Amino acid sequence: MSTVKSSPLAEPPSGDAVRRAGLLEASLAVFARFGFRKTSMDEVARAAQISRQGLYLHFANKDELFRATVSHACAASLADALKALAADGPLPVRLATAFDEWVGRYVGRFAADAADLMAAAETLAGTLIKDHEKLFLDAITTALREGGVAAAYKPVGVTARQLAENLQAVAGGLKHCCETREEFQERMAVAVRITCAPLGK
């Protein structure tokens, strides 16, 4: 089993944490449908099944809500990806599942109106997405190194980090050209099998 560590959170989430997570999941769905500019606090409140005033008790404005939503999405994706890497099973399966948790879960969720979300994230969330992506790539790099894949590529001068970054680039491309999560899973699994082919598994 890989020594890649899963999320450090050992305590089960409190009721407040569960409610907040549900609110942020509802917020994510609304931002994914309408984009940043067209999303309203009223729409998020309706989706979360709370009053507008209740939503404002949690978040002062839409910018603050959006930052919290991005943070929640990144943290949840990373936690599930790390859990997949730390699980028992063949390395190609663990890698493919990790990329599905990190990228695949968002395939097909964003409407055309949501094209402004990345620009909003760069403005309002700072380096949050890049920081989480680095942690994800660190974990993928470790898994490739510990699984023996990196050693197989060493004679041709390819590092574990380069392999991880290449798989991340493939995942990013597939996110934009796949219509469903299932299609992403199938095609990402092929990319992972190609990368892991030197293991003969």
Side-chain angles (χ1 to χ4, degrees), residues 19 22 34 64 82 87 108 110 118 122 166 195:
R19 283 189 291 274
F34 296 109
E64 185 178 311
L82 294 180
F110 293 90
M118 283 308 298
E122 289 175 4
N166 187 62
T195 300

Side-chain angles (χ1 to χ4, degrees), residues 76-87:
S77 298
L78 180 61
D80 289 342
L82 294 180
K83 189 182 300 182
L85 288 174

